[in-house]
Amino acid sequence: MKSKVVSLKEAIQEIQNGDCIFFGGIVEDRRPIAAVCEMIRQQKKNLVLLGTCSIPGDLLAGGQCLGAYRGCYTSNGAFGISPNIKRLSESGKIVIDDIGHLDLSLGLLAAMAGAPFIATKTCLGTDVLNPEYDNLSKARAIARDARTLPDKKYQLMEDPFYDMGLVQLYPAIQCDVCVCHVQQVGEEGTVRIDGSLTFDHYAVHAAKKVIVTAEQVVPEEYLRRDPNRNQIPCTSVDMIVEVPWGGHPGQVYNFYDMDIPFLKEYAQGCVTEEGFNQWADKWIFDAKDHEGYLERLGATRLEKLRSIPPYGYKPRRQGGI
Amino acid sequence: MADKYAKIGDYTAAEAMVINAARFLKNFDCQKGLIGTGLPLVATQLAKLLYSPNMIIFVETGQADAKPEELPISIMDSRLTYGSSWQMGDPEGLFPLSRGEIDFGFIGGAQIDKYGNVNSTFIGGDYNKPAKRLAGTAGAVDIGVFAKTTVTLMAHQKRRVVEKVDYLTTPGWMVKKWPSGEMVRREEMGMQGGPNAFISTLGIMKYDEDSRIMYVDKIFPGVTPDDIKNSTGFDIDVSRASENEQLLLEEIKILREKIDPLNVYGMR
């Protein structure tokens, strides 16, 4: 099989304005931050983000790349509500369509199985199903191809099989591009993830195009010695980029821990639009590329974050931050 | 023996809430809980050391029987992975809930109403231009729908404990039936479970078996029934309340020295 290894710039050039995109990882864990910084450098517009927001989604929002967000989490975890998303939401400048966490899992499961929809009782009784808050049609109007998003948010019906009463029929999730940041990928695309798989092992099957950025590109043969330890098959990956520290300031299990001071600085600095722009100038535009970003951080800072065995993180009691 | 008890002023309101929550989790020893991010995770860790060592922790990012050695600060902190029986992804983390295997869910939130409905999506203004945008649904919806029961942990303030939540994220006892949005009992929707208790900075609230309306069951030492009434956005029943036992110095010591020595959660 032909090598799929490309540069980060080349990979991100494949993303079109108005694409529906999905990011691997969750909260601070295995988020494709370097890839998102490059999306901002390339000034993508009107993207529709599906899934969980946190840092990468918040960066896209601040970088004016995001038109709509459909998902279940607009928080940066312990560091507060995602500041750019919060500011844009509170000034009515971004379309948000809230769905549930299990909705997301089941929608991706349906996609993985090739099923058009799936039935569940989740979200019954809640405002997730409130027709007044249904912003799906607004998200469809922003998407490059409206057909990537479903015609309808959900459909209620009585369970015809096991008498479970009312259930929600929930449509399969589809997206144009899925970007995952992982620990290891082979040259042909086989992926090995450590720690939580989050949604990555489902989401790649819901995407037309899959970009994998990895801490290490390793010989394909190495990963094929133990295929049970791999979570994404080579056949589901289109492009591969080696991006060491590509999840900073988040964590990558077995590689490095969260950069808590950096995350706090982001949370405080990006409350205002001006603050985000300053942050972006420093870390995205002036830094020029991911190598420039790492140079700014410096080896001393990064070394403090390095995970140690057997934990997969850097224990605070051993000098972690 | 008098000196085994802490005095008012020896601890913060957040510490009282977390320690009382840990005591409450005695009820769930040997059971499976799906634990939300934030202070519920702190209370759970304390409970496992002191009161319910055999409680089994699931997290929505795919850990089964998580046993973190250090306090995780988010719902997917690497600290949750090491030591777990199983580490998959978010779907596998949530499917035990939808299979009906989870005995209790334990969550925080921004607003709770008298039927135990919780809001973690937005407060004030309009959905499309809220006064305050919050974290969204995360696992809070799914825990409220599928766990056999739920416990909520939140600071007790008039703007938080309200007649009606601004957005119904986690379903309590009376929920919305769509498309009309009329409030109906959750049983009518074929939903199992329902909230068990709301633990706040002032006391422990339970739900009346008939009306399903929240009432005060326990008041923390140093708090009066009037304090609770004045901090609640509806006319809450305090007639059944009794005083909870004073915090133990030992509980405070373990919380500070073993659970959160670096004050990562800013409880003190």
Side-chain angles (χ1 to χ4, degrees), chain A residues 184 190-193 219-232:
Chain A
Q184 292 182 324
T190 296
V191 167
R192 180 166 298 174
I193 295 171
E220 181 76 17
E221 177 273 333
Y222 168 69
L223 298 178
R224 289 178 185 235
R225 287 182 208 167
D226 192 1
N228 280 118
R229 281 274 291 111
N230 304 332
Q231 294 86 8
I232 298 172

Side-chain angles (χ1 to χ4, degrees), chain A residues 26-29 72-75 78-79 81 86 89-92 96-102 105-106 109 120-131 133 135 138 154 156 164 166 195-199 201-202 251 253 257-258 260 310-317, chain B residues 37 60-63 69-82 87-92 94-95 98 121-122 126-139 141-142 145-146 165-171 175-179 189-191 262 264:
Chain A
I26 195 166
V27 206
E28 307 93 354
D29 186 56
C72 71
Y73 199 54
T74 48
S75 173
F79 308 96
I81 306 303
K86 178 173 158 64
S89 166
E90 290 168 6
S91 52
I96 298 185
D97 189 41
D98 283 285
I99 59 175
H101 196 173
L102 193 59
S105 302
L106 293 171
L109 173 65
T120 172
K121 284 191 87 73
T122 201
C123 294
L124 290 186
T126 75
D127 273 319
V128 176
L129 305 188
N130 186 338
Y133 300 156
N135 280 339
K138 290 186 199 163
Y154 66 92
L156 296 178
M164 279 173 67
L166 202 60
S196 178
L197 311 179
T198 69
F199 307 94
H201 53 322
Y202 286 38
Q251 64 183 14
Y253 193 75
D257 212 331
M258 283 178 236
I260 291 176
Y311 309 107
Y313 54 88
K314 176 71 172 277
R316 295 185 199 111
R317 62 179 181 275
Chain B
T37 184
E60 63 196 272
T61 47
Q63 301 85 19
E69 290 195 4
E70 273 190 357
L71 197 56
I73 63 165
S74 89
I75 208 64
M76 190 42 237
D77 191 322
S78 295
R79 284 155 185 78
L80 289 161
T81 299
Y82 177 71
Q87 171 69 77
M88 294 295 284
D90 291 49
E92 297 87 350
L94 290 161
F95 294 161
S98 51
T121 304
F122 80 93
D126 170 71
Y127 179 70
N128 290 311
K129 198 178 172 183
K132 208 172 176 190
R133 171 72 204 186
L134 307 168
T137 52
V141 167
D142 313 311
V145 172
F146 293 110
V165 284
D166 292 356
Y167 183 103
L168 201 168
T169 315
T170 306
V175 299
K176 293 183 178 179
K177 187 175 182 179
W178 301 110
M189 307 281 283
M191 291 159 72
L262 301 176
V264 178

Side-chain angles (χ1 to χ4, degrees), chain A residues 298-309:
Chain A
T300 315
R301 178 171 199 147
L302 293 174
E303 280 303 326
K304 274 190 195 158
L305 305 173
R306 216 182 267 285
S307 301
I308 59 167

